[in-house]
Amino acid sequence: MAGAAAEQRRLATVVESWLGRPVLIVGDAMLDEWRFADSDRLCREAPAPVLTLRRRISAAGGAANTAVNVAALGGKAVLVAPVGADVAGDELHDCLDRAGVWDRTVNQPGRPTPVKRRMLAGNQILLREDSGDPDDALDPEGVSRLLTALACATEELRAAAGGEAPTLVVCDYGLGALPAPVRAWLVEQRERYATVALDAHDLADWRGLAPTVVTPSFAEATRLLARAGGTTRPTGGTDLHLEHPDNDPADGPSEMTVGAAPGGVRADDAADRTTDRTGPVGEPIRGEGRVALTGDGLSVTGTGVTVNTRAGEGVDRAVLAESRLAELRAHTGADVVAVTLDTEGAVVGGADGAPRRSHSTPVPASHAVGAGDAYLAAMTLALAADAPLPTAAQLAQLAATITVSDTGTCVCRREDLLTALDQPTGSTERSALVGTDELDAIVAEYREAGRSVVFTNGCFDVLHRGHVRYLEQARALGDLLIVAVNSDGSVRRLKGPDRPVNPVEDRGALLAALACVDHVVVFEEDSPAALIEAVRPDVYVKGGDYPPELVPEGPLVRRLGGQVRTLGYVPDRSTSAIIERIRTHSQDPAPRASDHTPDESLRTRTQAS
């Protein structure tokens, strides 16, 4: 037990050491959109479910989510990427701002922001709609602006770090954000960056970058090996052996056959493989990231890759990856190769040639979206902080694993990582009841951690079941809930001289005692506009049976980048109804003689309310 505790403290020391480390992220930024719906019937026109949209969540995706993870883990993240001058681009800017990422994206009019829209019912993804085409290439002016942004962001980070060379993360997902001139610039400027991490669908596009670490999926790694063709393979009795077919089409999927190495490469194979097969570059093959064991149990298949395992019983993806780490390092020029295996974890290898295997917990696919971004961010920060490779691999896998507890785009926060290591987070516990002067600092802390804020307000005079259900529903819309409560004077102006029934001290204490409420703040004004300006909520919630468009605070919230939601009341559960029942009972004209005389102070208070 003592040894395990010491190991956790050692890992936590690395997490603390990367705090504030400057990281420049460049690549394909996109918007992840999640639409949660209910369905209880099929439509008449087709055997398809009828969906009723309940809530919608937008999150940074791709390179933007990697930047969000870097910031959430405690790094200083700057994102350079082309973003469309459209609604999706505006939402992406808001996501970056809320996460504390330095937004140095470049607007590209006429080129849409890539979006992945997922429709879910019962947390099951029913369909995904992708927009954004890699054929929408950057025009020469767009390329020039992107290169200028890269140069400026690099110097900006260097200056902020007191002259220290920043870390570079390249996220190339084949959506056109990194055309050849940008790739060439990054290769030429390699010496300006201390640590370079590369996550690319097509690793062949990045020859010459000499990255510190690459994080290919299994399919991306095998595709690169297939294209490499006639490289000398290791010999030995049980080493795995890849054969690249000579008829591999120049513009189609690669295919490999894997079997037990027969003691080396045959001479006729070597002769046949003298031709340089560079293969296709640029746009990755759709679906190549999905690799699964086929029903016959004999082969592992995925679009663009077929791996036949009949030659050796028990051969799996981890074994294959471990056997080819040296070749992957040679083909990518990377010091470290981390082959990610989805729910099976990862295989990591460095210059010492010793493979490191990490494991993950299988989860639904809807829980794992963006887990690779968390893995990449933690691996990069750890290596940039000069952590040993085994430590970096441990922290990267832990960061990816603890993010997959729920549906949505994965973000790992520094506090979550330290908590998983049983270490104090370093943040002081704050009282649920806070003052308006404390609110700015509290919200800034949450923003830095990448947490989404839900805000609501009201009198909450007589707390009842309807309030509790409403607040629980509001809390479910984000990471934390801030409730603003009208002061006694404000309630009197809004409700009349006989209200409130309970003073603000009691109302605030009861709200703060609810598990779904994170912070309670009292405001004197009749409108919460000033607090909304200060909090800039991601979601603003009001109760009522009217559409969000009619909420008076709606225009202000939307101008600040937030969403407006209305939640219906529980029928027959309202403060006014409860007070009316009390009044009716206290004014019963024919009390029984056996009834006790009501306490005078209580009767006066009831009549006054």
Side-chain angles (χ1 to χ4, degrees), residues 134-150:
D135 292 335
D136 295 330
L138 297 177
D139 58 29
E141 181 182 353
V143 171
S144 176
R145 293 172 60 207
L146 195 62
L147 291 174
T148 300
L150 273 172

Side-chain angles (χ1 to χ4, degrees), residues 294-313:
T294 56
D296 60 9
L298 299 177
S299 61
V300 180
T301 62
T303 306
V305 176
T306 300
V307 181
N308 190 331
T309 63
R310 285 177 293 183
E313 185 178 355

